[in-house]
Amino acid sequence: MIFRKKQLSFNDVQNTDIVLENAEILITQKCNFGCQHCLRGEPSNKTIKKEALDAFFNKIFYIGNLSIGGGEISLEPDLIRMITKSLKEGKILGVGRVNLTTNGTSVTDDFVDALRELVDYVKQGENDTTGFEPLLVGCSIDDFHLAEMQKRGITVDDIADNLAKIKKSIPEAYVDFRQECDVDIINTGRARELVGVRKVKPLLDMSVPVFVRPEKNRSYLGGVICMSVDGEIIPINIPFLDERTCSYGNIINEDFISILSKMRTKRVFHPTDLDKEYKKFIKQMSAPKRLWKKYDKEYGYKKNYIFTKSLEDAVESEK
Ligand code: SF4
């Protein structure tokens, strides 16, 4: 058996030993869209505190993949800069790569400049993911985002032009559309109303599997360790409103190891087994696909007619 189903002890692990394979930091609860499938629920004006970032980056040795999430992060160039500043000031050794999801509507020059500074930090650090792009930008253009764009008179061409600005300023970035929303919709947040069925587990049972893989005398934590704007360490993909009640602890005033020790853990010895376990976890939380058919009928337009210009075309015309 690869997995040993028992709670792991963190007794021998030091804060400075922690290497996170994946970390997600939610920097803002603001959003200019109101997508019907949004698992975060209703937005608010709350944004991340510097002391939460500082605490996080002082208690971790290295992050393989740092996801920056929201809300809509392109509304917050100053917060991107705050992350870069906190990374530089913190005890953390470095970040392997940065991963962002955006709706692509607010890609200002200021936002692109802030990303450029962050990417420069990533490239200067001790990077163990050589061969990968230092920045991944995914832009969601599924049916739900398209509906929001239509309401506001925004076209996919506009979005492609915006993404091209990132690619032009940061050629080493990987920028792409995410066109489909056909799998793994978490049945939570605003999406609960959309499917009309409440077959969700109680939120407190939705804990993220944490995987500990001893390596080079450090502790690798797989799954995703997620931090809210308030510094709460929380399960991924939960509504803003549930962050406080689902928190494992607050990074600002608690020891990271004691927070991690409250999570459900499994030991894994190979990354592919980690993937399998993660997919199982997502499936448990997802609404059955048949529930989405009704929605597809309401939005009867075809994506192929809307995608009039590819991202590559947009990058070419920006040159
Ligand atoms: S899915 Fe993204 S863009 Fe849509 S409302 Fe939620 S945070 Fe905003």
Side-chain angles (χ1 to χ4, degrees):
M1 277 296 284
I2 290 160
F3 294 103
R4 284 179 215 155
K5 291 190 176 175
K6 67 172 188 176
Q7 198 76 16
L8 292 169
S9 165
F10 286 90
N11 289 347
D12 300 326
V13 181
Q14 304 298 315
N15 275 320
T16 47
D17 292 333
I18 295 173
V19 175
L20 299 180
E21 268 186 11
N22 294 291
E24 180 175 26
I25 296 182
L26 305 178
I27 62 168
T28 182
Q29 296 190 353
K30 294 180 195 166
C31 190
N32 55 347
F33 273 13
C35 306
Q36 289 195 41
H37 71 325
C38 184
L39 54 89
R40 301 291 182 203
E42 296 310 311
S44 83
N45 282 331
K46 282 173 80 172
T47 54
I48 191 119
K49 298 176 171 76
K50 174 84 165 34
E51 59 180 334
L53 290 172
D54 290 347
F56 199 72
F57 295 137
N58 272 327
K59 293 177 179 176
I60 295 166
F61 184 79
Y62 186 81
I63 297 173
N65 181 28
L66 174 63
S67 299
I68 302 176
E72 175 47 44
I73 57 162
S74 65
L75 300 172
E76 307 285 7
D78 287 347
L79 297 181
I80 302 289
R81 288 203 176 85
M82 192 195 279
I83 289 175
T84 310
K85 187 167 189 289
S86 184
L87 280 165
K88 284 179 180 169
E89 292 170 356
K91 291 185 186 148
I92 188 166
L93 186 68
V95 169
R97 64 195 327 201
V98 173
N99 194 336
L100 317 171
T101 302
T102 173
N103 63 26
T105 54
S106 311
V107 182
T108 58
D109 291 346
D110 196 20
F111 177 66
V112 175
D113 287 349
L115 288 185
R116 178 72 264 173
E117 288 166 27
L118 180 56
V119 169
D120 288 343
Y121 165 83
V122 171
K123 288 171 70 179
Q124 281 164 17
E126 192 172 305
N127 191 329
D128 71 356
T129 51
T130 312
F132 291 105
E133 297 85 356
L135 174 68
L136 305 180
V137 180
C139 180
S140 311
I141 310 205
D142 48 60
D143 282 357
F144 306 99
H145 286 85
L146 283 169
E148 292 298 301
M149 286 161 55
Q150 277 198 331
K151 278 186 212 165
R152 293 160 179 78
I154 301 168
T155 66
V156 176
D157 287 359
D158 298 333
I159 301 289
D161 289 342
N162 283 346
L163 295 182
K165 285 189 218 162
I166 299 177
K167 189 70 187 161
K168 190 180 171 203
S169 175
I170 312 173
E172 61 271 57
Y174 179 81
V175 185
D176 204 1
F177 287 133
R178 290 182 189 147
Q179 300 180 13
E180 296 296 336
C181 194
D182 57 351
V183 288
D184 300 337
I185 305 266
I186 308 294
N187 193 2
T188 189
R190 212 182 278 130
R192 279 180 179 166
E193 293 159 33
L194 181 66
V195 298
V197 173
R198 284 174 156 257
K199 281 191 176 175
V200 286
K201 291 182 159 213
L203 283 170
L204 281 169
D205 288 344
M206 286 184 177
S207 51
V208 178
V210 176
F211 303 85
V212 180
R213 180 152 51 96
E215 197 167 301
K216 296 180 200 160
N217 299 323
R218 298 209 172 83
S219 299
Y220 266 74
L221 301 179
V224 183
I225 303 297
C226 181
M227 181 169 77
S228 77
V229 294
D230 293 320
E232 307 288 349
I233 302 299
I234 53 173
I236 57 167
N237 294 332
I238 63 169
F240 294 136
L241 275 179
D242 294 317
E243 287 174 349
R244 193 57 63 84
T245 45
C246 295
S247 173
Y248 299 106
N250 193 299
I251 197 80
I252 297 170
N253 47 34
E254 272 185 64
D255 179 70
F256 202 4
I257 297 301
S258 73
I259 295 173
L260 293 172
S261 66
K262 295 177 207 165
M263 294 180 167
R264 191 155 56 89
T265 59
K266 286 185 178 182
R267 189 178 287 268
V268 63
F269 293 102
H270 194 278
T272 52
D273 297 311
L274 192 150
D275 286 346
K276 273 188 221 159
E277 195 66 13
Y278 188 68
K279 277 179 189 154
K280 211 163 76 185
F281 160 72
I282 291 288
K283 200 172 169 194
Q284 279 171 4
M285 294 203 304
S286 301
K289 276 185 196 168
R290 63 186 164 76
L291 294 172
W292 297 96
K293 285 188 182 157
K294 181 174 162 287
Y295 186 82
D296 280 347
K297 271 187 197 159
E298 284 173 30
Y299 286 88
Y301 52 82
K302 295 273 180 281
K303 285 192 221 36
N304 290 345
Y305 296 133
I306 298 168
F307 281 81
T308 55
K309 185 158 74 170
S310 70
L311 179 57
E312 286 75 18
D313 291 341
V315 174
E316 276 304 311
S317 59
E318 270 274 316
K319 282 179 183 170

